[in-house]
Amino acid sequence: MLPKTLSIQTRFIAGIAMAASILVVLIGWYWTAREERALTLALQARADRTTQLVARGFAGPIWNLDTAAMSTLLDAVMADPEVHEVEVSALGVDAEPMRRRRDQLLVEPLERRTDILHQAAPQAQPAPVGRARLVFSREPVLAALNQTRLLVASLLAAVLAAVMITSYWLVHRLVARPVAALGALAQRVAGGELGATLPVEREDEIGTLTHRFNSMSAQLQRSAEGLRLSEARYRSLFENATEGIFQADGRGRLLGLNRALAQLLGFTRPSEALAGRLSLRRLVRVEPAEFRRIARALARHRVLQQVPMLVGTLDGRELWIELSVHIVAAAEEGLRIEGMVSDITQRRLAEQELTQHRDHLEELVAERTLELNQAKLRAEGANQSKSRFLATMSHEFRTPLNAILGFAQLLQMDGSLSQAQSGKINLIRDSGEHLLSLISDLLDMASIEAGKVRLMPAAVDLRGLLEVACDSVRLRAEEKRLQFRVELDPELPTRVRIDGQRLRQVVLNLLSNAVKFTDQGWISLSARVVARGTGSVRLRLEVADSGIGIGAEPLERLFQPFEQVSDASRRDGGTGLGLSISQQLMRLMDSQIEVRTTPGQGSCFSFEVELPLQS
């Protein structure tokens, strides 16, 4: 109900005064009403008593018709200030009633009427002899009520004055002054004095508000410092960027540019470019069609990325630039154009040179490709010739060798030969078998390199295959007095599906090398099941010896063709193809031979292979 322009202090004091006034008025009304009721009841009680006294006092004089006594009694009754009028009349007597009356005007008079009774004898019934009417005035009661109302009004005024004074002092001290101080602090902060604070006088609501104002001021100071630093970093980035940066309004008029763009366009300082408020189109020379194309694309897409352009500067130079530009909606300035310009003149020249080199390189590549195709055809022809040669030589070598070995075996069966002749025939047979082994290794390596080796899996007795391989080298091991250990896992499957000839070739080659490079001690072959599946088994084979071992440097070329890592005394009769062929064969079986060796202590060659079970 109060005007909104009044201060909080005025409205607060007015509210307290209104509440106190209502409270005092209610108390005063209750007090006055109670006092009025008490005075009225007391007046009625006095009126009743006076009426009874008049009825008893006037009985005798009326009976005796003693008017003098009646007049004296009337004067005595009127002596009471509350009695305004008294009237007494005798029954049965033709006479005017006797009355006394005051002249003042009554307000809400109190009237009492009663019969006057007289008892002639003690035993007789009282009989009415007259009537009395009394009118009492309420002026004393009203005067007392007025005094009470005056007292209440005085108390109300005193309470209101005390409440208003106390409220004003408390509000001014506890609210108005701290709020005014906070207002002054807000004015200081708004005026730029960021970080200004106010001491907290009390830890109440105003104190909490002061804490928050101080925190807000400190936060504003930190934010302003961060904003200044950010603006400084942005300004430094803008001014010191190696790429040209510019801003223009929606009509293309230049608003700002950095030093790199000004120098790129032939100006010493950015202020020289901004002096004439030139438009972007007048700042450089661009073909009208190219300018309209870029303007339409920018209006449609609102952003363009890395658009190459050929422009001319005001000082007559031609530059290739790369333009990246976008449109920004500014609240106060409307549309604004921001962009970045890169000088790509050197890159365009390099691209032109690269194009020329590329064209030349394509010619060179075409020539080289033709040469390579011709070389490929020659190589394929040579490879076919080699294959035909190997096939022919395989037949031509093996046919006479088989005849030599066959006749040697027939001669060994002749019992008429002397011991010297038998030794020579054995030498012929051993040499032939060795030569046949070398030819087989060479042909296998050639077939592997040509990619013509194919595995031929079949059902194989695994345990029998391993025993046959061991029997092939057991005699040579016994001749060198070597201990030959064979450890076959009892869980080895009976029959598996694999190319048995190639697996035996690998195992036999490893066992032969173990015997060859072990002078004393032992050699061993172990085969054990590593894992068993539903239809297959994974087998690990190891060939170990206590021979000469292999050094770290020769170990790196151990599996290369025609490499022999032993000393010269042990190379006689070998080609260095055995391990290479064995490794290639194991790779065809999805496995690989691994080596653990220590010079002077021996070696261990091992591999794992997955073998399907054959029922």
Side-chain angles (χ1 to χ4, degrees):
M1 294 175 61
L2 296 174
K4 295 183 179 181
T5 56
L6 294 178
S7 64
I8 296 177
Q9 180 179 4
T10 304
R11 285 184 283 175
F12 181 74
I13 294 174
I16 292 178
M18 185 179 297
S21 300
I22 293 174
L23 180 62
V24 172
V25 166
L26 291 176
I27 294 174
W29 174 82
Y30 174 75
W31 187 5
T32 304
R34 182 179 178 183
E35 186 69 18
E36 182 179 4
R37 185 169 57 253
L39 293 175
T40 302
L41 291 176
L43 177 61
Q44 291 175 354
R46 291 193 300 272
D48 292 339
R49 288 196 301 270
T50 303
T51 303
Q52 292 175 4
L53 290 176
V54 169
R56 287 195 299 268
F58 277 85
I62 291 177
W63 177 261
N64 295 320
L65 298 176
D66 188 353
T67 58
M70 292 173 62
S71 178
T72 302
L73 289 173
L74 287 174
D75 293 336
V77 171
M78 291 301 294
D80 188 350
E82 293 180 346
V83 179
H84 177 73
E85 180 180 358
V86 59
E87 179 181 325
V88 178
S89 60
L91 296 177
V93 178
D94 188 13
E96 289 292 330
M98 299 183 64
R99 66 168 58 89
R100 295 288 188 273
R101 183 177 183 180
R102 305 183 190 277
D103 296 334
Q104 62 186 10
L105 183 63
L106 291 182
V107 179
E108 297 180 4
L110 179 63
E111 183 176 339
R112 289 288 187 271
R113 294 177 182 271
T114 185
D115 292 332
I116 300 173
L117 302 178
H118 180 266
Q119 188 176 4
Q123 300 298 328
Q125 291 291 331
V129 295
R131 292 179 179 274
R133 184 176 68 86
L134 287 88
V135 178
F136 294 88
S137 173
R138 298 174 59 89
E139 292 298 328
V141 173
L142 296 177
L145 288 176
N146 290 333
Q147 292 181 354
T148 302
R149 292 190 180 96
L150 181 61
L151 176 61
V152 170
S154 301
L155 290 175
L156 175 61
V159 168
L160 285 178
V163 167
M164 293 181 67
I165 293 173
T166 305
S167 300
Y168 176 81
W169 182 80
L170 291 175
V171 170
H172 178 75
R173 179 176 178 81
L174 301 179
V175 178
R177 190 175 64 182
V179 168
L182 289 176
L185 176 62
Q187 289 290 339
R188 292 164 58 193
V189 173
E193 191 178 347
L194 301 179
T197 58
L198 191 68
V200 179
E201 297 180 357
R202 300 176 186 84
E203 294 297 334
D204 52 6
E205 290 80 356
I206 299 297
T208 302
L209 185 61
T210 304
H211 280 301
R212 293 179 179 177
F213 258 90
N214 293 339
S215 300
M216 180 187 68
S217 178
Q219 182 64 36
L220 287 175
Q221 184 181 22
R222 290 191 294 268
S223 300
E225 292 176 355
L227 185 61
R228 284 194 294 269
L229 291 176
S230 177
E231 184 179 358
R233 287 193 296 267
Y234 168 76
R235 176 57 57 182
S236 175
L237 179 64
F238 179 80
E239 293 295 340
N240 300 318
T242 57
E243 304 294 334
I245 303 173
F246 69 89
Q247 289 182 338
D249 59 14
R251 301 177 62 183
R253 290 178 299 184
L254 191 64
L255 299 177
L257 75 166
N258 65 344
R259 185 183 300 109
L261 182 57
Q263 294 176 354
L264 177 65
L265 299 179
F267 297 99
T268 306
R269 294 183 302 275
S271 58
E272 295 178 1
L274 296 173
R277 294 282 290 176
L278 298 176
S279 64
L280 293 176
R281 187 171 183 177
R282 295 182 179 179
L283 195 62
V284 292
R285 296 193 306 274
V286 186
E287 292 295 330
E290 179 72 5
F291 184 84
R292 287 193 297 271
R293 183 183 67 85
I294 294 177
R296 285 195 298 267
L298 180 61
R300 181 170 61 253
H301 301 291
R302 302 184 68 85
V303 59
L304 297 177
Q305 294 288 339
Q306 298 178 344
V307 179
M309 296 176 59
L310 178 62
V311 300
T313 62
L314 297 181
D315 55 2
R317 292 178 297 121
E318 286 191 350
L319 298 175
W320 275 99
I321 64 171
E322 191 174 70
L323 176 65
S324 296
V325 63
H326 63 275
I327 296 177
V328 179
E332 298 179 357
E333 304 173 2
L335 296 181
R336 190 172 69 247
I337 301 174
E338 296 179 350
M340 185 170 66
V341 176
S342 301
D343 185 2
I344 60 170
T345 303
Q346 297 299 325
R347 191 176 76 186
R348 295 287 294 191
L349 294 176
E351 288 177 353
Q352 293 175 359
E353 294 180 0
L354 183 61
T355 302
Q356 296 175 357
H357 286 296
R358 183 185 62 192
D359 295 339
H360 180 62
L361 182 61
E362 289 178 354
E363 297 176 358
L364 294 177
V365 169
E367 295 176 359
R368 186 60 178 167
T369 302
L370 180 60
E371 293 176 0
L372 290 176
N373 289 332
Q374 294 174 353
K376 179 182 177 183
L377 293 175
R378 290 194 297 269
E380 290 177 351
N383 191 31
Q384 293 176 359
S385 299
K386 184 181 72 171
S387 298
R388 289 193 298 269
F389 171 77
L390 290 175
T392 303
M393 293 306 295
S394 173
H395 176 73
E396 296 297 332
F397 283 157
R398 288 178 179 176
T399 299
L401 278 176
N402 288 330
I404 294 171
L405 292 175
F407 280 111
Q409 290 176 357
L410 292 175
L411 289 174
Q412 283 180 334
M413 296 172 61
D414 188 357
S416 63
L417 296 176
S418 63
Q419 184 176 1
Q421 291 174 335
S422 297
K424 292 178 181 179
I425 291 174
N426 289 334
L427 179 60
I428 292 173
R429 180 180 177 181
D430 292 341
S431 299
E433 290 178 349
H434 181 64
L435 180 59
L436 182 60
S437 174
L438 294 179
I439 292 173
S440 298
D441 287 345
L442 287 172
L443 293 176
D444 285 343
M445 178 56 65
S447 298
I448 290 173
E449 290 180 350
K452 295 184 177 181
V453 174
R454 296 291 183 270
L455 298 179
M456 301 179 65
V460 175
D461 182 357
L462 182 60
R463 188 179 294 271
L465 183 147
L466 296 177
E467 289 176 352
V468 169
C470 292
D471 292 340
S472 300
V473 298
R474 191 183 303 277
L475 181 60
R476 281 183 287 168
E478 291 176 354
E479 289 176 354
K480 297 183 71 172
R481 297 182 180 181
L482 299 176
Q483 183 181 359
F484 194 176
R485 306 171 185 169
V486 180
E487 301 176 359
L488 300 181
D489 193 340
E491 297 184 0
L492 284 178
T494 303
R495 297 178 67 80
V496 295
R497 187 170 182 82
I498 195 173
D499 191 336
Q501 180 182 353
R502 295 301 184 181
L503 179 61
R504 184 174 63 84
Q505 180 180 352
V506 173
V507 175
L508 186 58
N509 183 273
L510 295 178
L511 288 173
S512 298
N513 285 341
V515 173
K516 180 179 180 180
F517 295 105
T518 303
D519 296 330
Q520 60 182 1
W522 52 268
I523 64 173
S524 68
L525 169 68
S526 67
R528 67 177 186 274
V529 175
V530 177
R532 184 181 294 272
T534 304
S536 64
V537 63
R538 189 164 188 82
L539 182 69
R540 181 176 180 84
L541 281 86
E542 292 184 354
V543 175
D545 61 65
S546 60
I548 62 175
I550 306 172
E553 191 273 332
L555 187 62
E556 297 179 356
R557 47 189 176 88
L558 180 63
F559 294 102
Q560 297 178 6
F562 303 104
E563 286 291 340
Q564 291 180 300
V565 298
S566 62
D567 53 16
S569 62
R570 298 180 185 271
R571 297 180 184 178
D572 295 340
T575 60
L577 293 174
L579 286 177
S580 177
I581 294 173
S582 299
Q583 185 71 289
Q584 295 295 333
L585 291 175
M586 291 313 302
R587 287 174 179 171
L588 291 175
M589 299 180 189
D590 296 329
S591 182
Q592 185 172 343
I593 299 176
E594 299 177 350
V595 185
R596 301 192 308 275
T597 181
T598 303
Q601 297 183 11
S603 305
C604 178
F605 291 78
S606 62
F607 61 86
E608 292 185 4
V609 62
E610 190 80 19
L611 302 177
L613 297 176
Q614 182 70 33
S615 59

